[in-house]
Amino acid sequence: MNIDETLSYIHAVCWRSSIPGLERIRALLALMGDPQKGLEFIHVTGTNGKGSTCAMMASILQAAGYRTGLYTSPFLIRFNERMQVDGRQITDDELCEITAQVRPLADSLDPHPTEFEMVTAIAFAYFARHNCDIVVCEVGMGGEFDATNVIPAPEAAVFCNIGLDHTQYLGDTIEKIAATKAGIIKPGCDAVLYRQTASAEEIIRQRCERLGVPLHLADFDGIRLESAGLEGQVFDWEELTGLRLPLLGRHQLCNAAVALTAIRVLQARGWAITDSHIRRGLASTDWPGRFQIIGHDPLFIIDGGHNPQCIQALEQNIRDYLPGRPLTVLTGVMQDKDYHCMYRGVAPYANSFITVTPDNPRSLPAGELAAYIRELGCSATACGTIREGVALALEQAGPDGTVLCYGSLYLIGDVELQLRELRK
């Protein structure tokens, strides 16, 4: 199979749905020789901040000299982004080769593994063949019944900020969602927790107590911001001073506290990680699509935030980094998201909105979104293609303006591609 055939197979419609349960992935991995059983893991769940936190931990581990796997989702531009070793994405050739090996095994099973289960199995095989010392593994959705939860007890089960998302699968309250996510805690691991509501924290705490797992709460009070600008942030955390983080936003400092708490856990478990490794790893962290500058003249920022907590962080970033700058907002959303919360708070900062339809069957048509935004009293123009939207945003902002693109991770990768093409 070539790369197009490989991706077409992986994305095949007949097994794309999300079906909770571990039976299919366990059966597939057993046929593959259970590659996950020879690996060490950090397992990361939560609603917001998982990817950024994973990227920080992976960068620190890589700086410490460990061969480090990183498994995340979704991707922005290339599917290969989802599985990396030491910061390098899986190559097309290797993705094709591993998929060709997994395909007949998956096709022999009834019911067939889902798309995410297929991708997870491919990733575990990839990390095993590269003899990774440790894999930073992001949960796809939830925790207990997520395909990644077939791994053995991780070194650390890490909980990022928990909010309301995927409620049709995980439950309609923070407590129900926390209970599902708590399923990644296993005897023999340590647990690291982003400070949550008291009820959510209690659910995690009770699970840890039942299983005899030490629980470590990230120290947000130990964060001291020294400076912040569009080039990055410098902060202190506990006894560590002058830490540099390229990722922008106050919320990223909380994510950093979670990542650093997990690294402290690894140190206590015998991993050779020094403060110098921590400094170098944080400073070299790369996690695209989160309030990221991708162009100048005009300043062009992309952000994949799409739920209430993400939008609150986005609004704070606008106040912190873009004070007094009128914004041209380029946006598109999924129709099954609570998009009403995504625009009311941003509208006061926007000169105009430009709407597009992301390349996804769940997308809200650009015309419908523009009509909704006009109801908020804002100017909104619907464009027929993402390319047209990017071109109009550049024109409306002018060289001294600012374009902010947000709304969906399914949108911003295509926007970045079109911006590159238009500026060639």
Side-chain angles (χ1 to χ4, degrees):
M1 294 188 292
N2 61 31
I3 188 61
D4 290 334
E5 292 167 337
T6 294
L7 294 178
S8 294
Y9 172 74
I10 290 172
H11 298 320
V13 175
C14 61
W15 54 73
R16 290 194 67 174
S17 60
S18 179
I19 307 170
L22 302 180
E23 297 82 7
R24 295 171 304 276
I25 182 70
R26 282 182 175 143
L28 176 57
L29 288 168
L31 293 175
M32 296 167 57
D34 284 318
Q36 79 282 2
K37 291 185 177 178
L39 297 167
E40 300 284 357
F41 288 90
I42 300 174
H43 206 186
V44 184
T45 190
T47 306
N48 297 308
K50 297 191 300 295
S52 301
T53 304
C54 284
M56 293 181 214
M57 292 188 293
S59 188
I60 292 168
L61 287 162
Q62 187 180 336
Y66 291 107
R67 180 164 292 180
T68 305
L70 177 62
Y71 181 50
T72 59
S73 61
F75 62 92
L76 297 185
I77 297 175
R78 299 182 72 237
F79 176 89
N80 309 52
E81 298 167 25
R82 297 181 64 172
M83 50 194 84
Q84 305 178 25
V85 172
D86 287 346
R88 293 184 294 274
Q89 299 171 17
I90 188 172
T91 64
D92 287 352
D93 287 346
E94 195 162 17
L95 178 58
C96 293
E97 181 183 343
I98 296 174
T99 304
Q101 294 169 356
V102 173
R103 180 174 184 170
L105 304 178
D107 289 350
S108 72
L109 295 173
D110 185 17
H112 197 286
T114 67
E115 177 182 359
F116 185 71
E117 290 164 350
M118 290 282 299
V119 177
T120 300
I122 292 165
F124 289 166
Y126 170 61
F127 298 135
R129 68 157 52 184
H130 282 271
N131 298 310
C132 286
D133 297 308
I134 192 165
V135 175
V136 182
C137 180
E138 179 185 341
V139 165
M141 183 178 66
E144 182 177 7
F145 299 111
D146 185 77
T148 61
N149 206 30
V150 295
I151 64 172
E155 291 290 274
V158 178
F159 293 82
C160 296
N161 196 4
I162 297 174
L164 291 172
D165 205 1
H166 303 297
T167 53
Q168 67 272 39
Y169 299 107
L170 306 180
D172 57 1
T173 67
I174 296 292
E175 292 74 23
K176 290 178 182 177
I177 293 173
T180 299
K181 294 182 184 296
I184 71 167
I185 300 170
K186 299 181 176 74
C189 77
D190 281 59
V192 174
L193 182 61
Y194 186 112
R195 299 311 304 265
Q196 314 283 338
T197 63
S199 57
E201 285 192 7
E202 184 59 24
I203 288 167
I204 305 297
R205 190 185 304 276
Q206 288 177 5
R207 169 86 174 182
C208 288
E209 290 177 354
R210 284 199 306 273
L211 299 180
V213 168
L215 177 61
H216 310 264
L217 303 180
D219 180 12
F220 292 167
D221 292 335
I223 300 169
R224 300 174 298 279
L225 179 64
E226 290 187 10
S227 62
L230 290 174
E231 70 286 349
Q233 308 184 79
V234 179
F235 70 103
D236 305 334
W237 182 74
E238 296 188 342
E239 78 284 2
L240 295 170
T241 60
L243 299 172
R244 183 179 179 277
L245 181 66
L247 308 183
L248 304 181
R250 299 183 191 184
H251 64 290
Q252 293 292 10
L253 300 183
C254 293
N255 293 335
V258 174
L260 292 169
T261 303
I263 293 298
R264 290 293 193 226
V265 165
L266 292 184
Q267 289 173 323
R269 293 175 71 102
W271 294 78
I273 306 167
T274 67
D275 289 353
S276 176
H277 297 146
I278 291 172
R279 293 180 187 281
R280 285 194 283 117
L282 275 183
S284 59
T285 299
D286 179 35
W287 191 241
R290 280 71 178 176
F291 207 76
Q292 178 194 8
I293 298 170
I294 61 169
H296 295 272
D297 307 321
L299 185 67
F300 203 116
I301 297 173
I302 55 175
D303 191 286
H306 58 269
N307 62 38
Q309 289 172 311
C310 291
I311 299 305
Q312 289 174 8
L314 174 62
E315 292 170 15
Q316 186 65 58
N317 282 347
I318 292 172
R319 291 189 289 271
D320 288 345
Y321 296 101
L322 306 172
R325 293 189 186 219
L327 304 180
T328 300
V329 178
L330 176 63
T331 187
V333 295
M334 300 294 106
Q335 59 187 341
D336 57 356
K337 293 294 180 183
D338 179 15
Y339 59 86
H340 304 278
C341 77
M342 299 175 61
Y343 298 103
R344 286 190 288 265
V346 174
Y349 305 101
N351 257 10
S352 62
F353 284 86
I354 298 166
T355 63
V356 294
T357 307
D359 183 17
N360 187 286
R362 295 190 288 112
S363 296
L364 183 72
E368 291 185 32
L369 180 57
Y372 168 73
I373 291 173
R374 290 189 201 107
E375 292 177 3
L376 300 178
C378 300
S379 168
T381 304
C383 289
T385 66
I386 292 175
R387 186 183 185 88
E388 291 173 11
V390 174
L392 181 59
L394 294 173
E395 177 186 334
Q396 289 191 4
D400 299 323
T402 301
V403 177
L404 171 64
C405 172
Y406 80 101
S408 173
L409 282 170
Y410 293 105
L411 169 66
I412 60 179
D414 286 337
V415 166
E416 185 171 2
L417 282 173
Q418 293 305 322
L419 181 63
R420 290 179 191 169
E421 290 294 320
L422 288 166
R423 286 189 158 168
K424 278 183 179 179

